[in-house]
Every structure is written in structure tokens, then in C-alpha cells.
Amino acid sequence: MGKGFKLPSGRVIALGRLMLATLFLVAISVDVGQRASGPVLAIAVLTLYAGFAVVILLATWSNWWLDAKLAGPAHGMDIVMFMALVVTTDGSTSPYLTLFIFLMLAAAIRWSWHATALTAMLLTLLYLLAGLVVVQSGVPFEPQRFAVRTGHLAILSLILIWFGANQWRARFHLDDAELLDRPSLDESPLETGLRAAMKSVRASSGTFVWRPQGQSDLTGMIIHDGDLQEISVPGIALTQALATSPFVYDFARDRALRKDAERNLLDIGVRDLITPAAAPGLDLDQGLAIPVRSDGGQGQIFLEGVPGLSTDHIDLGDQIATAVALHLQRHAMLEAAEGSAEARSRLTLARDLHDSVVQFLAGAAFRLEAIKRSHASGRQFEPELDELKQLMLQEQRELRSIITGLRSGPLVAFNDLAKDLAGLAERLARQWDIACVVTAQPSELTIPIRLHLDAQQLLREAVANAARHAEAKTVTVELAATPSELRLIIVNDIISIPSSSARLNMPQSLKERTEEAGGTLEMARGMGVTKISIALPIGGRRR
């Protein structure tokens, strides 16, 4: 879209006034159908109106303060011109309807619906008054035509009041919307938010002052000509007033404008909002101030060097504040998720070390105790030491294969899992001096590598619990898989039940690992055995 369609509303209204005045002047000058008494007076009035439009255009073109202050008087002059033109013109070139629409749109754009409704009522009353003036002057009067035109004004009034009631807003296109939607932990959200805000209004420089939640210290940064600089802000730079709504400001002249809930402009002193002690550090001149709030804190964005700065930017400030606040929220959520993932990874690693290395060391200590008893009884213990050495080497190879599997790919064959569990069962049998057997039906299915590790660690923990707490002598494992889940049924005999385990309690390590994998665990005891049934979802996501 061309730059002409991005002009501030004040400039558009001023340009529209001048163009309409010029068009009316030309049209009436060449219209021979006007009333005999009308053209000379109408041309004089329109000439004055065109001159007035030129003065307003030049005075407010680059001055948002004058544009706001002269908006009311200029609107009043437009209404006076409406009345004058209704009385002095007639025929097809009468500009009353066009000027009526212009006045209503100007009110709807600049102010609230209250001002639009007041303008509509005033113009309609003036039109009725003009009709009475025409009747009293003896000029031929057409009641039907007058009633139809009055109806036109009433209908247009309702439509344009609705336009004002829905609070017309200027809209901006955030060129860095994708950047704000997808924050990165490698970048400061304050910097990316500030750069996106600057780009949206083509600001040459920007400042972002931020106070994290629960802290009194302020952090700040300035971007000028693309260069970033950290700043120190002395004193309290953010007051309650700054945290309410956006405003445009001229710091040197100590003036600023913001809008209330009804979108009416309020004149405020900028030094009432920004402490003088903070101003030098912020390096403020003239621009747009935008308060930003999120769960992580509150702050203020100052955008300077904005082309065509106007009161329209106050509405843009609300939109920018929302976009930047959402960006900060997304970044905070990403940090929280990253921290949660790290914590979950540490917990998983701790559990894996417990279920592999720690349990193996416990089994090794169990075997060493047996070797010690063999030595005390005079039996040869070198073969048992050699076997323990081999178990340690096999455990080392097992850990390496696990690490390699985690690095290599996301899936493994079910038959490979069955083979690995059978080998692991054989080693656990020697380690704990227990009979351990794994049976499985061949299958062409594949499972995630994570479940491969889970199944191995579950078997380690189940065998260790059976040997250490129940003094079991046999453990049997049935392994099966469907397209949706992997099932392990672990059964061990019970030689001894410690008093602390008299009640049927779920083994904590087995329970945590199963829940972490999104699976279910059931446990039953009776007829001299303990049965543990574990189901792990193959396609499920780890919680």
C-alpha cells in the first residue's frame, strides 16, 4: 500500500477539507443553475473556507500538538460552513451532503461516539433551521424534497454514529510478527520486542526500560541506528501514570497527550509521568511511549524519530503493547519449559544410573559377599572372581550399547529388544545368583529407543527387588507387543517377605519409570509368587 494511504488521520482530514473546499468552489463557480442570489455569496464563503483549510493544513502537517488542539475549532468552522452552504447553494452542485459526511467521519475518527452523535444532532437541527430560513425568505420551497434530504441525514447519522461507537482504530502491520510469535532463548525478549516495535512505526531509535516482577532495580536498553546499548536508569523512572496507557510526548516542551476510556484526548505534563532524574539516562526528546506489562514485570517502551508522529499512534501503542507483552509471555513459557525439560532429563538420568550402575554395583557386592563366604569355607574363589570380572565387562558393553542406541536413531526392532532382554536376564541371573528367563513371541514391530531402555531398566529393578527383598530364586518375564503398547509380565517366587513389605506396595522406582513413560503398572501377590504387569504405550508421548 502506498505511503499516501498511511498518512495520520489528522493530515487526511486537513487534506480532505482543502480538496472539498476547492472542488466546491470550482463547481459552484461554473454552475448556472444556482439561485440568482446565491453564487456570489457562496463563492465568497468558499474562498474564505479554502483559505482557512490551507492555514490549518500548513499549521498541523508536522505538529501533532497543534493538530490535536485545533481539531475542535476546525470542526466548529466546518459546521458553520455547512450551515452557510445549505443556505446559499442549491441544485446538483450543492455540497451540503458531502460536507455532512465529511464532518461525521472526522468526528468518528477523532473522538468518541458521543462526539459523533452530538455532531449529527447539531447538523440535522441546522439543516432544519436552514429550511425555515429559506421558507421565510420567500424562495420557492419543495417540502417533499426537503423531507427526503432530512431522512438521508438521519440515516447517515445512525450509520456513522455506529462507526464511532465501534471505536475506529488505526491498524499497523507488525513486520516482525513471526519473530515475536517464535521467541528464542538465545535472544533477549526485550531486545526483540523493542526492535519489532521500532520497525512497526519506522522509529529511528527506541528505548525499553524494564522492572522484573518483585524487583526494584531497572534494566534498560537503547537502540539507535541499529546499535544496541545497555543503559543505567537512575531513580524511579516508571510511575503509576506510565503504567496506564500509551501517550505521545514532547519532553522539551513538557507536553503530552493520551486518551481516556472514551478515546478523548487528555492534555498532560510529560514531566508528571517521567521523572527529571531519569530523563537524561533515557535521552528523551519527542515520540511515543508505550507501557508494557506481563506476568514477569512491567516496563515502558519509548519510540522516537517516528515519521508522521500523530495522535493515531496512541491507538497503535495499545496494539504494540499487546504484541510485545505476548512475546514476553511466550519467552517466559519457553524458559519454563526448557527448565522443566532439563529437570526431567536430570531425573531420568538419575533413575537410569540407579537402575543400571547402582543396581549392578549392588549385585556385585552381593557376589563379593558370596565369594567371601567361599573363601572362608576353603573353596576356590578365583573362578567366581573371573565370572564377576566378565559380568563387569559385559555391563560396560551394555552401557555403551545403550548410549550408542540413544545417539543412533529413534526406533529399534522388537526382536532386537527381546534378544537384548534375554542377554540381560542371563547376566542378572549370574549377578544375583538367581534363575531369570525372558520369553517373547517374534514380531516385526519396531519400538522407540526410549522404551528399549525403559524395558531394560525395569527388568534390572524388578530382578534386584526380587533378589534383595523377597529372596526370590526364580524370575520369569513374558514380553509381548501390539501396535499400540509394549507389555512386560514379571513373575517371581517369594521366599521371604520382610515385615516392612507385608503390605502390597508398588516398588517406587518401577512406578516412577512406568508413569514417566505414560504407562500403567499392576501388582498382585498370592500362591507364593508376586506378579507385576507393565504396559508401556508405543506411540504415546512421555509426560
Side-chain angles (χ1 to χ4, degrees), residues 3 61 68 70 72 109-110 130 147 213 252 269 286 289 324 340 348 389 421 438 445 447 472 504 528 536:
K3 291 184 178 179
W61 185 261
L70 294 178
I109 290 172
R110 284 189 180 276
Q213 187 71 27
Q286 183 174 196
V324 174
S340 176
T348 300
K389 177 182 177 181
L421 287 186
V438 174
L445 293 173
I447 63 170
L504 189 60
L536 305 176

Side-chain angles (χ1 to χ4, degrees), residues 28 31 33-35 85-86 88-96 145 149:
I28 292 176
D31 184 16
Q34 292 289 335
R35 293 193 298 268
L85 290 173
V86 167
T88 60
T89 63
D90 197 4
S92 60
T93 55
S94 177
Y96 88 95
R145 184 180 181 186
R149 287 186 170 183

Side-chain angles (χ1 to χ4, degrees), residues 362-373:
F366 183 84
R367 290 299 304 275
L368 286 172
E369 185 64 29
I371 292 172
K372 180 180 178 181
R373 290 196 299 270

Side-chain angles (χ1 to χ4, degrees), residues 4-65:
F5 292 96
K6 294 183 179 179
L7 291 176
S9 60
R11 290 185 184 179
V12 172
I13 292 172
L15 277 173
R17 179 185 295 111
L18 178 59
M19 293 169 66
L20 287 175
T22 304
L23 177 62
F24 296 158
L25 181 60
V26 172
I28 292 176
S29 298
V30 299
D31 184 16
V32 296
Q34 292 289 335
R35 293 193 298 268
S37 62
V40 175
L41 182 58
I43 290 173
V45 169
L46 284 171
T47 301
L48 291 174
Y49 187 47
F52 169 77
V54 171
V55 172
I56 293 295
L57 179 65
L58 294 177
T60 62
W61 185 261
S62 299
N63 193 317
W64 54 267
W65 178 261

Side-chain angles (χ1 to χ4, degrees), residues 360-416:
F360 173 79
L361 292 176
F366 183 84
R367 290 299 304 275
L368 286 172
E369 185 64 29
I371 292 172
K372 180 180 178 181
R373 290 196 299 270
S374 298
H375 177 65
S377 63
R379 290 183 297 174
Q380 294 291 326
F381 59 85
E382 287 83 357
E384 295 187 42
L385 282 177
D386 290 337
E387 183 178 6
L388 181 59
K389 177 182 177 181
Q390 292 301 318
L391 287 174
M392 295 179 69
L393 292 174
Q394 289 176 349
E395 183 67 20
Q396 183 185 34
R397 288 193 292 270
E398 179 69 21
L399 288 174
R400 285 178 176 173
S401 68
I402 291 174
I403 295 172
T404 301
L406 290 173
R407 290 175 175 173
S408 61
L411 299 174
V412 295
F414 171 79
N415 293 336
D416 289 340

